[in-house]
Structure formats: structure tokens, C-alpha cells
Amino acid sequence: MAVAMFMHWSGLTAGQYDALVARLDRDANPAAGEILHLAALTDEGLEVCDVWLTEQAFHGFLEHRLMPVVQELQISGEPEIRIVPLHNLFAADADMIDRLGAISLPAAVAAWAG
């Protein structure tokens, strides 16, 4: 069953998030079972909403990819995570997602700025 994963990571900065994204290299090596990733930075830290094919797929990514990179980058703290069954997924303009392509914004910005 598809799930929505909500994450709050208090104190995580834009620089730390961008470093995580770069090291995970999900553009070239997408996480198995991940459908959608949205991230927003606030004054309090990072807010994420992901859609995954299964809860097990998310936990595999968390254990085998995300947290090892967090440790390598020496990022302190741990995220608060909540997983719930997905009730609905709606994209007002699904073609726009296709037009954007499989790129992550920080990686694209780094490429454009480079």
C-alpha cells in the first residue's frame, strides 16, 4: 500500500539539506519505491512530504541510504517521522511534472550556477 511520509527535522539548514541531496544523487540513482519528494525549509528546519510505494521501501531508504549519509556529513539530530496510508494523490498538471523531469532543485541550481 502506498504511504505518505511526513518528516520534520528541527534545525536542519538549507546547506545541510543541499549537501544531503547532492550526496544521495537521487537524480542518477533514484530510491527504489519513491514516487514523489517535496521539501521546504522554514525558520524551524526542514519539512518533507514524500510518497512511497510501501512503508518498507521508505524504511529501506532511511536505513541504507539516508542515515549513513547523515552520519558521514556529521549532521546532528534526528528527524521526526510520521507515516500514514496514502488516501489520494492529485496533480493538477501531471504533464508539468514530466516537463520538469527527474531533477532535484538543489542539484539543478548547482549545475546552473557552476
Side-chain angles (χ1 to χ4, degrees):
M1 168 191 295
V3 296
M5 185 283 301
F6 300 96
M7 175 187 291
H8 170 75
W9 199 319
S10 184
L12 195 79
T13 67
Q16 290 171 317
Y17 172 77
D18 293 349
L20 275 169
V21 168
R23 287 279 286 118
L24 289 169
D25 195 22
R26 285 161 42 205
D27 296 331
N29 188 15
E34 186 174 24
I35 298 169
L36 183 67
H37 173 78
L38 306 168
L41 288 153
T42 70
D43 291 340
E44 297 175 6
L46 178 72
E47 302 291 339
V48 171
C49 177
D50 284 354
V51 176
W52 290 82
L53 286 176
T54 65
E55 185 172 348
Q56 293 79 10
F58 167 71
H59 283 294
F61 170 76
L62 180 70
E63 180 181 337
H64 299 289
R65 289 188 62 189
L66 180 63
M67 295 313 288
V69 172
V70 167
Q71 290 175 349
E72 287 174 25
L73 295 174
Q74 299 178 350
I75 295 173
S76 62
E78 290 203 14
E80 298 170 26
I81 296 170
R82 189 168 54 105
I83 298 173
V84 296
L86 184 66
H87 182 72
N88 185 29
L89 174 63
F90 171 76
D93 186 354
D95 291 337
M96 178 59 78
I97 295 170
D98 272 345
R99 288 191 300 273
L100 289 172
I103 61 165
S104 59
L105 191 55
V109 169
W112 298 329

PDB file of all heavy atoms in Angstrom, residues 23-57:
ATOM      1  N   ARG A  23      24.800  14.296  -2.090  1.00  0.00           N
ATOM      2  CA  ARG A  23      25.444  13.003  -1.781  1.00  0.00           C
ATOM      3  C   ARG A  23      24.540  11.822  -2.119  1.00  0.00           C
ATOM      4  O   ARG A  23      25.026  10.769  -2.525  1.00  0.00           O
ATOM      5  CB  ARG A  23      25.835  12.951  -0.304  1.00  0.00           C
ATOM      6  CG  ARG A  23      27.007  13.821   0.045  1.00  0.00           C
ATOM      7  CD  ARG A  23      28.359  13.198  -0.280  1.00  0.00           C
ATOM      8  NE  ARG A  23      28.674  12.149   0.660  1.00  0.00           N
ATOM      9  CZ  ARG A  23      28.841  10.870   0.324  1.00  0.00           C
ATOM     10  NH1 ARG A  23      28.772  10.485  -0.910  1.00  0.00           N
ATOM     11  NH2 ARG A  23      29.121   9.982   1.239  1.00  0.00           N
ATOM     12  N   LEU A  24      23.227  11.985  -1.947  1.00  0.00           N
ATOM     13  CA  LEU A  24      22.308  10.886  -2.254  1.00  0.00           C
ATOM     14  C   LEU A  24      22.189  10.672  -3.763  1.00  0.00           C
ATOM     15  O   LEU A  24      21.892   9.563  -4.200  1.00  0.00           O
ATOM     16  CB  LEU A  24      20.924  11.157  -1.649  1.00  0.00           C
ATOM     17  CG  LEU A  24      20.859  11.053  -0.130  1.00  0.00           C
ATOM     18  CD1 LEU A  24      19.533  11.602   0.386  1.00  0.00           C
ATOM     19  CD2 LEU A  24      21.062   9.613   0.329  1.00  0.00           C
ATOM     20  N   ASP A  25      22.399  11.724  -4.540  1.00  0.00           N
ATOM     21  CA  ASP A  25      22.389  11.649  -6.002  1.00  0.00           C
ATOM     22  C   ASP A  25      21.184  10.882  -6.539  1.00  0.00           C
ATOM     23  O   ASP A  25      21.309   9.983  -7.364  1.00  0.00           O
ATOM     24  CB  ASP A  25      23.697  11.033  -6.502  1.00  0.00           C
ATOM     25  CG  ASP A  25      23.905  11.268  -7.992  1.00  0.00           C
ATOM     26  OD1 ASP A  25      23.297  12.227  -8.535  1.00  0.00           O
ATOM     27  OD2 ASP A  25      24.665  10.500  -8.616  1.00  0.00           O
ATOM     28  N   ARG A  26      20.004  11.271  -6.056  1.00  0.00           N
ATOM     29  CA  ARG A  26      18.788  10.580  -6.473  1.00  0.00           C
ATOM     30  C   ARG A  26      18.415  10.861  -7.921  1.00  0.00           C
ATOM     31  O   ARG A  26      17.607  10.138  -8.487  1.00  0.00           O
ATOM     32  CB  ARG A  26      17.639  10.924  -5.528  1.00  0.00           C
ATOM     33  CG  ARG A  26      17.833  10.190  -4.234  1.00  0.00           C
ATOM     34  CD  ARG A  26      17.127  10.645  -3.028  1.00  0.00           C
ATOM     35  NE  ARG A  26      15.778  11.057  -3.020  1.00  0.00           N
ATOM     36  CZ  ARG A  26      15.309  11.903  -2.094  1.00  0.00           C
ATOM     37  NH1 ARG A  26      16.095  12.392  -1.182  1.00  0.00           N
ATOM     38  NH2 ARG A  26      14.051  12.238  -2.091  1.00  0.00           N
ATOM     39  N   ASP A  27      18.994  11.902  -8.525  1.00  0.00           N
ATOM     40  CA  ASP A  27      18.730  12.125  -9.949  1.00  0.00           C
ATOM     41  C   ASP A  27      19.255  10.946 -10.767  1.00  0.00           C
ATOM     42  O   ASP A  27      18.576  10.439 -11.642  1.00  0.00           O
ATOM     43  CB  ASP A  27      19.397  13.414 -10.432  1.00  0.00           C
ATOM     44  CG  ASP A  27      18.824  14.644  -9.754  1.00  0.00           C
ATOM     45  OD1 ASP A  27      17.643  14.631  -9.372  1.00  0.00           O
ATOM     46  OD2 ASP A  27      19.569  15.621  -9.602  1.00  0.00           O
ATOM     47  N   ALA A  28      20.473  10.518 -10.477  1.00  0.00           N
ATOM     48  CA  ALA A  28      21.092   9.416 -11.206  1.00  0.00           C
ATOM     49  C   ALA A  28      20.746   8.060 -10.605  1.00  0.00           C
ATOM     50  O   ALA A  28      20.759   7.056 -11.303  1.00  0.00           O
ATOM     51  CB  ALA A  28      22.608   9.598 -11.228  1.00  0.00           C
ATOM     52  N   ASN A  29      20.445   8.028  -9.319  1.00  0.00           N
ATOM     53  CA  ASN A  29      20.199   6.777  -8.611  1.00  0.00           C
ATOM     54  C   ASN A  29      18.957   6.925  -7.728  1.00  0.00           C
ATOM     55  O   ASN A  29      19.075   7.027  -6.506  1.00  0.00           O
ATOM     56  CB  ASN A  29      21.432   6.425  -7.772  1.00  0.00           C
ATOM     57  CG  ASN A  29      21.344   5.066  -7.158  1.00  0.00           C
ATOM     58  OD1 ASN A  29      20.524   4.242  -7.545  1.00  0.00           O
ATOM     59  ND2 ASN A  29      22.179   4.822  -6.158  1.00  0.00           N
ATOM     60  N   PRO A  30      17.762   6.950  -8.338  1.00  0.00           N
ATOM     61  CA  PRO A  30      16.536   7.153  -7.550  1.00  0.00           C
ATOM     62  C   PRO A  30      16.344   6.056  -6.515  1.00  0.00           C
ATOM     63  O   PRO A  30      16.768   4.919  -6.704  1.00  0.00           O
ATOM     64  CB  PRO A  30      15.419   7.106  -8.587  1.00  0.00           C
ATOM     65  CG  PRO A  30      16.075   7.174  -9.914  1.00  0.00           C
ATOM     66  CD  PRO A  30      17.499   6.748  -9.750  1.00  0.00           C
ATOM     67  N   ALA A  31      15.702   6.429  -5.436  1.00  0.00           N
ATOM     68  CA  ALA A  31      15.398   5.458  -4.384  1.00  0.00           C
ATOM     69  C   ALA A  31      14.301   4.514  -4.866  1.00  0.00           C
ATOM     70  O   ALA A  31      13.287   4.955  -5.414  1.00  0.00           O
ATOM     71  CB  ALA A  31      14.945   6.182  -3.123  1.00  0.00           C
ATOM     72  N   ALA A  32      14.508   3.225  -4.665  1.00  0.00           N
ATOM     73  CA  ALA A  32      13.503   2.235  -5.054  1.00  0.00           C
ATOM     74  C   ALA A  32      12.218   2.487  -4.280  1.00  0.00           C
ATOM     75  O   ALA A  32      12.232   2.583  -3.062  1.00  0.00           O
ATOM     76  CB  ALA A  32      14.025   0.830  -4.777  1.00  0.00           C
ATOM     77  N   GLY A  33      11.123   2.638  -4.991  1.00  0.00           N
ATOM     78  CA  GLY A  33       9.818   2.787  -4.360  1.00  0.00           C
ATOM     79  C   GLY A  33       9.414   4.219  -4.054  1.00  0.00           C
ATOM     80  O   GLY A  33       8.290   4.456  -3.620  1.00  0.00           O
ATOM     81  N   GLU A  34      10.298   5.178  -4.283  1.00  0.00           N
ATOM     82  CA  GLU A  34       9.921   6.572  -4.028  1.00  0.00           C
ATOM     83  C   GLU A  34       9.175   7.125  -5.237  1.00  0.00           C
ATOM     84  O   GLU A  34       9.619   6.989  -6.370  1.00  0.00           O
ATOM     85  CB  GLU A  34      11.149   7.430  -3.738  1.00  0.00           C
ATOM     86  CG  GLU A  34      10.786   8.839  -3.322  1.00  0.00           C
ATOM     87  CD  GLU A  34      11.986   9.665  -2.893  1.00  0.00           C
ATOM     88  OE1 GLU A  34      13.120   9.360  -3.314  1.00  0.00           O
ATOM     89  OE2 GLU A  34      11.777  10.615  -2.137  1.00  0.00           O
ATOM     90  N   ILE A  35       8.037   7.759  -4.975  1.00  0.00           N
ATOM     91  CA  ILE A  35       7.211   8.300  -6.040  1.00  0.00           C
ATOM     92  C   ILE A  35       7.383   9.806  -6.160  1.00  0.00           C
ATOM     93  O   ILE A  35       7.502  10.349  -7.253  1.00  0.00           O
ATOM     94  CB  ILE A  35       5.720   7.956  -5.798  1.00  0.00           C
ATOM     95  CG1 ILE A  35       5.540   6.436  -5.812  1.00  0.00           C
ATOM     96  CG2 ILE A  35       4.830   8.629  -6.825  1.00  0.00           C
ATOM     97  CD1 ILE A  35       4.192   5.970  -5.325  1.00  0.00           C
ATOM     98  N   LEU A  36       7.429  10.491  -5.023  1.00  0.00           N
ATOM     99  CA  LEU A  36       7.443  11.947  -5.024  1.00  0.00           C
ATOM    100  C   LEU A  36       8.142  12.454  -3.775  1.00  0.00           C
ATOM    101  O   LEU A  36       7.980  11.875  -2.694  1.00  0.00           O
ATOM    102  CB  LEU A  36       5.996  12.460  -5.042  1.00  0.00           C
ATOM    103  CG  LEU A  36       5.750  13.951  -5.108  1.00  0.00           C
ATOM    104  CD1 LEU A  36       6.217  14.517  -6.445  1.00  0.00           C
ATOM    105  CD2 LEU A  36       4.273  14.247  -4.900  1.00  0.00           C
ATOM    106  N   HIS A  37       8.912  13.524  -3.921  1.00  0.00           N
ATOM    107  CA  HIS A  37       9.609  14.143  -2.774  1.00  0.00           C
ATOM    108  C   HIS A  37       9.392  15.638  -2.831  1.00  0.00           C
ATOM    109  O   HIS A  37       9.656  16.270  -3.862  1.00  0.00           O
ATOM    110  CB  HIS A  37      11.107  13.833  -2.840  1.00  0.00           C
ATOM    111  CG  HIS A  37      11.920  14.557  -1.817  1.00  0.00           C
ATOM    112  ND1 HIS A  37      11.975  14.152  -0.499  1.00  0.00           N
ATOM    113  CD2 HIS A  37      12.703  15.660  -1.912  1.00  0.00           C
ATOM    114  CE1 HIS A  37      12.774  14.977   0.168  1.00  0.00           C
ATOM    115  NE2 HIS A  37      13.223  15.910  -0.674  1.00  0.00           N
ATOM    116  N   LEU A  38       8.906  16.200  -1.743  1.00  0.00           N
ATOM    117  CA  LEU A  38       8.725  17.641  -1.603  1.00  0.00           C
ATOM    118  C   LEU A  38       9.446  18.079  -0.341  1.00  0.00           C
ATOM    119  O   LEU A  38       9.321  17.430   0.696  1.00  0.00           O
ATOM    120  CB  LEU A  38       7.241  17.997  -1.469  1.00  0.00           C
ATOM    121  CG  LEU A  38       6.312  17.485  -2.561  1.00  0.00           C
ATOM    122  CD1 LEU A  38       4.869  17.661  -2.149  1.00  0.00           C
ATOM    123  CD2 LEU A  38       6.587  18.198  -3.857  1.00  0.00           C
ATOM    124  N   ALA A  39      10.185  19.162  -0.422  1.00  0.00           N
ATOM    125  CA  ALA A  39      10.905  19.648   0.752  1.00  0.00           C
ATOM    126  C   ALA A  39      10.748  21.156   0.844  1.00  0.00           C
ATOM    127  O   ALA A  39      10.776  21.857  -0.169  1.00  0.00           O
ATOM    128  CB  ALA A  39      12.380  19.281   0.664  1.00  0.00           C
ATOM    129  N   ALA A  40      10.601  21.641   2.070  1.00  0.00           N
ATOM    130  CA  ALA A  40      10.514  23.074   2.324  1.00  0.00           C
ATOM    131  C   ALA A  40      11.331  23.384   3.568  1.00  0.00           C
ATOM    132  O   ALA A  40      11.312  22.631   4.544  1.00  0.00           O
ATOM    133  CB  ALA A  40       9.061  23.492   2.533  1.00  0.00           C
ATOM    134  N   LEU A  41      12.057  24.487   3.493  1.00  0.00           N
ATOM    135  CA  LEU A  41      12.828  24.927   4.647  1.00  0.00           C
ATOM    136  C   LEU A  41      12.088  26.077   5.310  1.00  0.00           C
ATOM    137  O   LEU A  41      11.614  26.990   4.634  1.00  0.00           O
ATOM    138  CB  LEU A  41      14.232  25.346   4.217  1.00  0.00           C
ATOM    139  CG  LEU A  41      15.086  24.138   3.833  1.00  0.00           C
ATOM    140  CD1 LEU A  41      16.145  24.515   2.840  1.00  0.00           C
ATOM    141  CD2 LEU A  41      15.691  23.510   5.066  1.00  0.00           C
ATOM    142  N   THR A  42      11.988  26.009   6.638  1.00  0.00           N
ATOM    143  CA  THR A  42      11.330  27.039   7.419  1.00  0.00           C
ATOM    144  C   THR A  42      12.318  27.577   8.452  1.00  0.00           C
ATOM    145  O   THR A  42      13.450  27.086   8.550  1.00  0.00           O
ATOM    146  CB  THR A  42      10.091  26.477   8.145  1.00  0.00           C
ATOM    147  OG1 THR A  42      10.529  25.582   9.179  1.00  0.00           O
ATOM    148  CG2 THR A  42       9.166  25.733   7.186  1.00  0.00           C
ATOM    149  N   ASP A  43      11.873  28.534   9.228  1.00  0.00           N
ATOM    150  CA  ASP A  43      12.713  29.046  10.309  1.00  0.00           C
ATOM    151  C   ASP A  43      13.021  27.965  11.339  1.00  0.00           C
ATOM    152  O   ASP A  43      13.982  28.078  12.093  1.00  0.00           O
ATOM    153  CB  ASP A  43      12.042  30.228  11.006  1.00  0.00           C
ATOM    154  CG  ASP A  43      11.974  31.462  10.117  1.00  0.00           C
ATOM    155  OD1 ASP A  43      12.760  31.539   9.141  1.00  0.00           O
ATOM    156  OD2 ASP A  43      11.144  32.341  10.391  1.00  0.00           O
ATOM    157  N   GLU A  44      12.205  26.915  11.374  1.00  0.00           N
ATOM    158  CA  GLU A  44      12.374  25.844  12.355  1.00  0.00           C
ATOM    159  C   GLU A  44      13.197  24.671  11.834  1.00  0.00           C
ATOM    160  O   GLU A  44      13.606  23.813  12.610  1.00  0.00           O
ATOM    161  CB  GLU A  44      11.010  25.343  12.810  1.00  0.00           C
ATOM    162  CG  GLU A  44      10.197  26.407  13.515  1.00  0.00           C
ATOM    163  CD  GLU A  44       8.797  25.925  13.853  1.00  0.00           C
ATOM    164  OE1 GLU A  44       8.493  24.739  13.640  1.00  0.00           O
ATOM    165  OE2 GLU A  44       8.017  26.761  14.320  1.00  0.00           O
ATOM    166  N   GLY A  45      13.416  24.608  10.539  1.00  0.00           N
ATOM    167  CA  GLY A  45      14.162  23.488   9.984  1.00  0.00           C
ATOM    168  C   GLY A  45      13.555  22.994   8.691  1.00  0.00           C
ATOM    169  O   GLY A  45      12.992  23.763   7.920  1.00  0.00           O
ATOM    170  N   LEU A  46      13.626  21.703   8.473  1.00  0.00           N
ATOM    171  CA  LEU A  46      13.181  21.085   7.230  1.00  0.00           C
ATOM    172  C   LEU A  46      11.835  20.400   7.418  1.00  0.00           C
ATOM    173  O   LEU A  46      11.616  19.706   8.412  1.00  0.00           O
ATOM    174  CB  LEU A  46      14.213  20.039   6.787  1.00  0.00           C
ATOM    175  CG  LEU A  46      13.889  19.245   5.529  1.00  0.00           C
ATOM    176  CD1 LEU A  46      14.012  20.128   4.287  1.00  0.00           C
ATOM    177  CD2 LEU A  46      14.803  18.033   5.412  1.00  0.00           C
ATOM    178  N   GLU A  47      10.967  20.586   6.438  1.00  0.00           N
ATOM    179  CA  GLU A  47       9.690  19.870   6.366  1.00  0.00           C
ATOM    180  C   GLU A  47       9.682  19.095   5.057  1.00  0.00           C
ATOM    181  O   GLU A  47       9.969  19.656   3.997  1.00  0.00           O
ATOM    182  CB  GLU A  47       8.499  20.836   6.388  1.00  0.00           C
ATOM    183  CG  GLU A  47       8.435  21.725   7.605  1.00  0.00           C
ATOM    184  CD  GLU A  47       8.119  20.986   8.893  1.00  0.00           C
ATOM    185  OE1 GLU A  47       7.563  19.865   8.845  1.00  0.00           O
ATOM    186  OE2 GLU A  47       8.438  21.539   9.963  1.00  0.00           O
ATOM    187  N   VAL A  48       9.380  17.800   5.120  1.00  0.00           N
ATOM    188  CA  VAL A  48       9.375  16.951   3.931  1.00  0.00           C
ATOM    189  C   VAL A  48       8.066  16.190   3.866  1.00  0.00           C
ATOM    190  O   VAL A  48       7.525  15.762   4.887  1.00  0.00           O
ATOM    191  CB  VAL A  48      10.551  15.932   3.974  1.00  0.00           C
ATOM    192  CG1 VAL A  48      10.429  14.898   2.862  1.00  0.00           C
ATOM    193  CG2 VAL A  48      11.879  16.649   3.893  1.00  0.00           C
ATOM    194  N   CYS A  49       7.574  16.030   2.649  1.00  0.00           N
ATOM    195  CA  CYS A  49       6.466  15.118   2.384  1.00  0.00           C
ATOM    196  C   CYS A  49       6.880  14.263   1.203  1.00  0.00           C
ATOM    197  O   CYS A  49       7.240  14.777   0.145  1.00  0.00           O
ATOM    198  CB  CYS A  49       5.183  15.879   2.064  1.00  0.00           C
ATOM    199  SG  CYS A  49       3.822  14.765   1.648  1.00  0.00           S
ATOM    200  N   ASP A  50       6.907  12.970   1.408  1.00  0.00           N
ATOM    201  CA  ASP A  50       7.221  12.015   0.348  1.00  0.00           C
ATOM    202  C   ASP A  50       6.032  11.101   0.129  1.00  0.00           C
ATOM    203  O   ASP A  50       5.244  10.863   1.048  1.00  0.00           O
ATOM    204  CB  ASP A  50       8.390  11.100   0.749  1.00  0.00           C
ATOM    205  CG  ASP A  50       9.748  11.758   0.666  1.00  0.00           C
ATOM    206  OD1 ASP A  50       9.853  12.896   0.188  1.00  0.00           O
ATOM    207  OD2 ASP A  50      10.717  11.101   1.095  1.00  0.00           O
ATOM    208  N   VAL A  51       5.951  10.544  -1.064  1.00  0.00           N
ATOM    209  CA  VAL A  51       5.015   9.454  -1.349  1.00  0.00           C
ATOM    210  C   VAL A  51       5.866   8.262  -1.750  1.00  0.00           C
ATOM    211  O   VAL A  51       6.764   8.382  -2.607  1.00  0.00           O
ATOM    212  CB  VAL A  51       4.021   9.835  -2.460  1.00  0.00           C
ATOM    213  CG1 VAL A  51       3.117   8.656  -2.800  1.00  0.00           C
ATOM    214  CG2 VAL A  51       3.188  11.052  -2.052  1.00  0.00           C
ATOM    215  N   TRP A  52       5.593   7.133  -1.100  1.00  0.00           N
ATOM    216  CA  TRP A  52       6.342   5.891  -1.331  1.00  0.00           C
ATOM    217  C   TRP A  52       5.378   4.774  -1.700  1.00  0.00           C
ATOM    218  O   TRP A  52       4.230   4.758  -1.238  1.00  0.00           O
ATOM    219  CB  TRP A  52       7.114   5.491  -0.068  1.00  0.00           C
ATOM    220  CG  TRP A  52       8.260   6.405   0.223  1.00  0.00           C
ATOM    221  CD1 TRP A  52       8.211   7.615   0.850  1.00  0.00           C
ATOM    222  CD2 TRP A  52       9.622   6.207  -0.150  1.00  0.00           C
ATOM    223  NE1 TRP A  52       9.460   8.176   0.907  1.00  0.00           N
ATOM    224  CE2 TRP A  52      10.344   7.333   0.309  1.00  0.00           C
ATOM    225  CE3 TRP A  52      10.301   5.195  -0.796  1.00  0.00           C
ATOM    226  CZ2 TRP A  52      11.715   7.464   0.118  1.00  0.00           C
ATOM    227  CZ3 TRP A  52      11.670   5.307  -0.985  1.00  0.00           C
ATOM    228  CH2 TRP A  52      12.353   6.434  -0.530  1.00  0.00           C
ATOM    229  N   LEU A  53       5.862   3.809  -2.495  1.00  0.00           N
ATOM    230  CA  LEU A  53       5.028   2.659  -2.851  1.00  0.00           C
ATOM    231  C   LEU A  53       4.641   1.851  -1.622  1.00  0.00           C
ATOM    232  O   LEU A  53       3.519   1.357  -1.528  1.00  0.00           O
ATOM    233  CB  LEU A  53       5.755   1.754  -3.847  1.00  0.00           C
ATOM    234  CG  LEU A  53       5.851   2.270  -5.273  1.00  0.00           C
ATOM    235  CD1 LEU A  53       6.690   1.322  -6.125  1.00  0.00           C
ATOM    236  CD2 LEU A  53       4.471   2.450  -5.876  1.00  0.00           C
ATOM    237  N   THR A  54       5.590   1.712  -0.687  1.00  0.00           N
ATOM    238  CA  THR A  54       5.328   0.965   0.545  1.00  0.00           C
ATOM    239  C   THR A  54       6.108   1.597   1.695  1.00  0.00           C
ATOM    240  O   THR A  54       7.120   2.276   1.486  1.00  0.00           O
ATOM    241  CB  THR A  54       5.773  -0.507   0.437  1.00  0.00           C
ATOM    242  OG1 THR A  54       7.193  -0.548   0.299  1.00  0.00           O
ATOM    243  CG2 THR A  54       5.093  -1.235  -0.713  1.00  0.00           C
ATOM    244  N   GLU A  55       5.660   1.329   2.890  1.00  0.00           N
ATOM    245  CA  GLU A  55       6.387   1.775   4.078  1.00  0.00           C
ATOM    246  C   GLU A  55       7.759   1.104   4.142  1.00  0.00           C
ATOM    247  O   GLU A  55       8.748   1.720   4.536  1.00  0.00           O
ATOM    248  CB  GLU A  55       5.571   1.452   5.334  1.00  0.00           C
ATOM    249  CG  GLU A  55       6.180   1.969   6.606  1.00  0.00           C
ATOM    250  CD  GLU A  55       5.285   1.810   7.821  1.00  0.00           C
ATOM    251  OE1 GLU A  55       4.090   1.503   7.679  1.00  0.00           O
ATOM    252  OE2 GLU A  55       5.809   1.997   8.937  1.00  0.00           O
ATOM    253  N   GLN A  56       7.830  -0.157   3.725  1.00  0.00           N
ATOM    254  CA  GLN A  56       9.097  -0.881   3.737  1.00  0.00           C
ATOM    255  C   GLN A  56      10.118  -0.227   2.804  1.00  0.00           C
ATOM    256  O   GLN A  56      11.314  -0.170   3.123  1.00  0.00           O
ATOM    257  CB  GLN A  56       8.876  -2.352   3.342  1.00  0.00           C
ATOM    258  CG  GLN A  56       8.071  -3.147   4.343  1.00  0.00           C
ATOM    259  CD  GLN A  56       6.556  -2.887   4.247  1.00  0.00           C
ATOM    260  OE1 GLN A  56       6.059  -2.257   3.324  1.00  0.00           O
ATOM    261  NE2 GLN A  56       5.827  -3.357   5.253  1.00  0.00           N
ATOM    262  N   ALA A  57       9.663   0.269   1.660  1.00  0.00           N
ATOM    263  CA  ALA A  57      10.575   0.943   0.736  1.00  0.00           C
ATOM    264  C   ALA A  57      11.177   2.183   1.396  1.00  0.00           C
ATOM    265  O   ALA A  57      12.384   2.429   1.301  1.00  0.00           O
ATOM    266  CB  ALA A  57       9.853   1.322  -0.557  1.00  0.00           C
TER     267      ALA A  57
END
